[in-house]
């Protein structure tokens, strides 16, 4: 069993061939895919996809990239969805400091509220942390007992250890397959496999072999191969351990 821990298979880019993409993934042994939400308007689309394809598992959340689209009432709606729709996590939420036009204060407001909901309903969180890892760590510390994953981790080794100690997994995808990603590859090599998840973030963040094409869940195989090579271990060992990690985090059966 292989688990793609972060994939936007609900996005319109897959509307024409979603079934074929998922069938191809299943043949490769990719049996579970975690589908994070980004806006309130997207949640019904995710719900419909996950109902149609049992291998998909929904998360519902408000992504910082779309901060200007969110409304405070979305948080009330989010609580309702968490109660009634049985998601595996809250998210994708977090902080994005890379895009300078995004209101930091507003990002913090929505991030805190979503962590409160995750803590209240005992759900893990899927966190987007771009150029904001230290602030994310300091905020997580305010919510004892909360768990989750940092999607497409890009922080330092020291920050990674802090997050692991807080009970978080670090997820890696397409960027580690590039030969010039030396800092990221060194980081992956230094981390225990028990704290790593694999993801595609499809249709975004394509692997090195697919730079000019749409990313898909099947790319998870290249990501697993890369981690195996970096750790000098068998590919199956990476597939098994990262899947066990995801199963534990998202309580998949």
């Amino acid at each position: 069993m292989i688990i793609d821990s972060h994939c936007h298979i609900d996005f319109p880019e897959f509307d024409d061939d979603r079934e074929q993409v998922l069938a191809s993934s299943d043949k490769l042994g990719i049996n579970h895919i975690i589908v994070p939400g980004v806006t309130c308007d997207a949640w019904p689309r995710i719900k419909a996809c996950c109902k149609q394809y049992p291998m998909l598992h929904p998360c519902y959340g408000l992504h910082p990239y779309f901060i200007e689209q969110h409304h405070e009432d979305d948080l009330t709606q989010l609580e309702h969805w968490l109660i009634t729709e049985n998601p595996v996590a809250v998210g994708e939420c977090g902080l994005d400091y890379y895009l300078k036009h995004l209101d930091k204060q507003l990002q913090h407001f929505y991030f805190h509220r979503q962590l409160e909901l995750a803590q209240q309903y005992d759900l893990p969180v899927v966190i987007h942390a771009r150029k904001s890892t230290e602030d994310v760590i300091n905020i997580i510390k305010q919510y004892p007992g909360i768990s989750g994953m940092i999607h497409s981790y890009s922080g330092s080794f020291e920050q990674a250890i802090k997050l692991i100690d807080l009970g978080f997994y670090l997820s890696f995808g397409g960027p580690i397959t590039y030969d010039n990603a030396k800092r990221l590859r060194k980081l992956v090599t230094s981390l225990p496999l028990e704290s790593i998840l694999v993801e595609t973030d499809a249709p975004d963040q394509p692997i090195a072999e697919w730079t000019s094409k749409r990313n898909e869940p099947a790319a998870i195989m290249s990501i697993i191969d890369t981690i195996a090579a970096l750790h000098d271990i068998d590919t199956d060992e990476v597939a098994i351990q990262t899947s066990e990690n995801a199963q534990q985090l998202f309580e998949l059966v």
Side-chain angles (χ1 to χ4, degrees), residues 75-226:
L75 293 165
T76 304
Q77 292 296 318
L78 178 58
E79 183 171 14
H80 175 73
W81 279 70
L82 298 182
I83 294 169
T84 61
E85 299 302 333
N86 297 314
V88 296
V90 176
E92 178 176 354
C93 58
L95 302 173
D96 193 317
Y97 293 171
Y98 177 77
L99 299 171
K100 303 301 182 185
H101 68 282
L102 298 178
D103 187 315
K104 281 189 180 181
Q105 185 175 351
L106 204 54
Q107 288 188 60
H108 278 245
F109 170 75
Y110 282 99
F111 188 33
H112 275 281
R113 298 295 83 77
Q114 290 178 87
L115 291 177
E116 288 172 2
L117 288 171
Q119 188 178 55
Q120 180 178 349
Y121 293 102
D122 193 26
L123 286 168
V125 284
V126 174
I127 294 180
H128 173 102
R130 190 156 65 149
K131 301 292 185 181
S132 60
T133 305
E134 198 62 31
D135 277 3
V136 164
I137 291 170
N138 290 331
I139 291 172
I140 286 171
K141 288 179 179 178
Q142 299 175 39
Y143 299 89
I146 203 165
S147 64
M149 64 177 275
I150 308 297
H151 143 66
S152 192
Y153 183 74
S154 60
S156 68
F157 172 77
E158 291 75 19
Q159 290 169 329
I161 297 304
K162 290 180 185 178
L163 286 161
I164 291 169
D165 288 344
L166 287 168
F168 274 71
Y169 292 93
L170 309 176
S171 188
F172 298 93
I176 68 167
T177 65
Y178 290 79
D179 290 336
N180 61 357
K182 299 187 185 303
R183 186 193 69 84
L184 192 58
R185 287 180 165 217
K186 182 179 179 181
L187 173 65
V188 171
T189 306
S190 66
L191 295 176
L193 204 59
E194 292 77 12
S195 297
I196 290 175
L197 299 177
V198 289
E199 63 166 87
T200 59
D201 197 27
D204 301 320
Q205 298 201 74
I207 56 176
E209 303 97 294
W210 294 1
T211 52
S212 60
K213 63 178 286 188
R214 179 191 65 181
N215 197 12
E216 297 180 5
I220 208 81
M221 309 309 293
S222 178
I223 295 159
I224 289 172
D225 287 345
T226 300

Side-chain angles (χ1 to χ4, degrees), residues 240-252:
I240 291 169
Q241 184 63 60
T242 56
S243 292
E244 287 181 357
N245 297 342
Q247 279 184 291
Q248 180 173 342
L249 177 63
F250 297 114
E251 297 187 357
L252 304 177

